[in-house]
Amino acid sequence: MVAINAGLLTGPGLTAGHPYLKGAPDMYDHGVLVTVDVDFLADAHIAAYECPTAYGRYLCFNNAICRPEDAAKLAQMLISSAAAPRPPAPPSDELKVIPQRIHTKKLNKLMLDFTSGVYGDIN
């Protein structure tokens, strides 16, 4: 049994008003806001499917929002993709640095083995 546990999905068509992104502010407050691009997530699923020794849970993200600048950048990306006016940036003294608490070592190894051809021809 293999499970891919993805971060907040980012990609074309996802805007700040999307219900999927509803919990993002709470996640950032608790220091666990990570995002994953839809193409990266698809590649992770393919790698897990193709690997005969894959097992367990894989955390899947390719962007950790740990600094205030990263959070502001994500917010602007989500708002700009909705074609809405951008709000003013929050003052930097109201923001704090959130340490990264999770990692993707297990998935990185799986995907490295997959892309290097360890499990056969990927074409």
Side-chain angles (χ1 to χ4, degrees):
M1 174 86 159
V2 174
I4 305 287
N5 295 58
L8 290 175
L9 192 63
T10 58
L14 284 176
T15 63
H18 196 281
Y20 181 74
L21 298 172
K22 188 175 175 181
D26 291 334
M27 289 182 189
Y28 181 69
D29 286 343
H30 291 98
V32 291
L33 179 57
V34 293
T35 64
V36 62
D37 180 71
V38 67
D39 293 329
F40 185 81
L41 181 59
D43 290 343
H45 277 90
I46 292 168
Y49 175 78
E50 293 288 331
C51 174
T53 59
Y55 68 93
R57 180 175 52 190
Y58 293 85
L59 300 178
C60 183
F61 62 91
N62 58 355
N63 186 24
I65 309 297
C66 297
R67 300 176 309 151
E69 297 84 18
D70 297 335
K73 184 177 169 183
L74 176 64
Q76 287 182 355
M77 179 188 76
L78 293 172
I79 290 170
S80 67
S81 64
R86 293 182 180 180
S92 61
D93 60 342
E94 291 182 13
L95 299 172
K96 58 185 178 207
V97 174
I98 306 293
Q100 184 174 338
R101 296 187 210 167
I102 58 176
H103 56 84
T104 61
K105 289 180 184 176
K106 186 176 174 183
L107 180 64
N108 290 344
K109 181 182 179 337
L110 175 75
M111 292 186 72
L112 180 64
D113 290 346
F114 176 71
T115 57
S116 65
V118 170
Y119 304 117
D121 187 16
I122 59 173
N123 292 329

